[in-house]
Amino acid sequence: MAIPLLTYSPSSQNQRVPGYEIPNEEKPRVYSSEFSYNPKEISELIWAAYYQVFHEQQMLSSNRQSFLESQLASGQINVKDFIRGLALSDPFRRLNYNSNNNYRFVEICFQRLLGRQVYDEREKLAWSIVLATKGLKGFIDELLNSEEYMTNFGYSTVPYQRRRILPQRSHGELPFARMARYGEDYRNKLPKSSLAAAFKPKYELSDKPIVLGLLATSAALIIAVYLLPILGLLPKLGTF
């Protein structure tokens, strides 16, 4: 028996309020198959879908789903099915689901599939339970079949960050594409960068014989270069 979705009260986020601002660079461009007819427009729509689901951090040629692209371009599937295929693909699972806990993954999917932040901890908990009980596929299906998704994006529109402009502000929220793709708990488990290893001292203080040998060699060079010419044992160094 499936656990029903926990109830929660939606907060008054800006995307739930009708907007009256003048369109500017903060207003997202909408990509929809209803307005895309030629191959170039379909290619732009596919690119927008990849950017929305994977973000620029994960847009690699190895992550492309050529079969899904051909199905969308030939009209065998709609945009919603294409988004579902990307969210259930192995690269998305590996880069986002496997590298985050359920709470962080819920946040990522709300940003990329619903175009908004989670309302609060109660909503995050509720959908984390859906993810834990129904698995990744069941969770993605629940999001894409939700009334909120169908009302805002339907079958033909690529999801986007809704209403970045906040009331009483001239600038919008931080784009979701610039946010970290995994949480702090997973980040701390990553190996240290090779750059940090390059600056690690080669010799520790415990390597006493090696350190003393280096000091003795340095002292001998100093004596040979500066002291011996003074004593007349070597010719003085001059300028060219």
Side-chain angles (χ1 to χ4, degrees):
M1 179 177 170
I3 300 176
L5 183 66
L6 294 180
T7 58
Y8 54 88
S9 299
S11 61
S12 296
Q13 291 190 4
N14 58 310
Q15 71 271 354
R16 299 180 61 238
V17 181
Y20 301 100
E21 68 273 1
I22 299 175
N24 57 13
E25 68 275 4
E26 298 282 359
K27 189 174 180 62
R29 178 179 175 182
V30 178
Y31 293 87
S32 175
S33 59
E34 295 180 356
F35 313 111
S36 302
Y37 305 103
N38 58 58
K40 180 180 178 182
E41 292 173 333
I42 293 296
S43 297
E44 291 179 352
L45 185 148
I46 290 175
W47 178 90
Y50 276 112
Y51 187 84
Q52 178 64 25
V53 175
F54 283 97
H55 286 177
E56 58 187 12
Q57 302 170 347
Q58 304 169 352
M59 288 184 66
L60 306 174
S61 58
S62 58
N63 293 340
R64 292 187 62 177
Q65 305 297 306
S66 302
F67 181 66
L68 288 175
E69 291 181 27
S70 64
Q71 284 186 309
L72 179 63
S74 61
Q76 299 179 40
I77 60 175
N78 53 44
V79 174
K80 178 183 174 183
D81 293 331
F82 184 69
I83 296 295
R84 177 186 282 107
L86 295 183
L88 294 177
S89 65
D90 180 70
F92 187 81
R93 173 191 288 269
R94 174 170 44 85
L95 296 172
N96 299 286
Y97 180 70
N98 293 348
S99 59
N100 287 288
N101 57 42
N102 284 4
Y103 303 110
R104 176 62 181 155
F105 184 71
V106 166
E107 286 186 282
I108 290 176
C109 289
F110 266 67
Q111 292 175 0
R112 303 188 185 185
L113 302 183
L114 293 184
R116 67 169 174 87
Q117 291 281 20
V118 292
Y119 290 132
D120 50 30
E121 294 298 319
R122 180 75 175 180
E123 183 178 45
K124 188 190 304 183
L125 174 62
W127 284 95
S128 297
I129 294 175
V130 174
L131 177 60
T133 56
K134 296 188 177 182
L136 178 59
K137 184 179 185 305
F139 169 72
I140 296 298
D141 286 341
E142 288 285 337
L143 280 183
L144 297 185
N145 294 332
S146 65
E147 180 181 356
E148 180 178 1
Y149 183 93
M150 295 303 299
T151 299
N152 290 280
F153 309 117
Y155 292 99
S156 58
T157 302
V158 175
Y160 54 86
Q161 184 171 351
R162 292 181 275 154
R163 299 217 46 232
R164 284 183 53 203
I165 295 293
L166 297 176
Q168 309 300 322
R169 293 188 185 181
S170 58
H171 299 286
E173 294 177 311
L174 184 69
F176 294 150
R178 298 182 185 176
M179 295 185 178
R181 56 187 169 92
Y182 43 72
E184 184 178 355
D185 54 341
Y186 181 79
R187 184 189 63 196
N188 293 337
K189 297 178 183 178
L190 295 176
K192 294 182 179 180
S193 65
S194 57
L195 182 62
F199 286 95
K200 183 179 179 181
K202 290 185 177 180
Y203 304 106
E204 304 291 342
L205 293 179
S206 59
D207 301 327
K208 190 174 180 180
I210 298 177
V211 174
L212 292 178
L214 291 174
L215 292 176
T217 302
S218 301
L221 289 174
I222 294 174
I223 292 174
V225 173
Y226 295 101
L227 185 59
L228 293 180
I230 295 176
L231 297 176
L233 299 178
L234 285 177
K236 295 184 179 180
L237 298 177
T239 58
F240 290 101

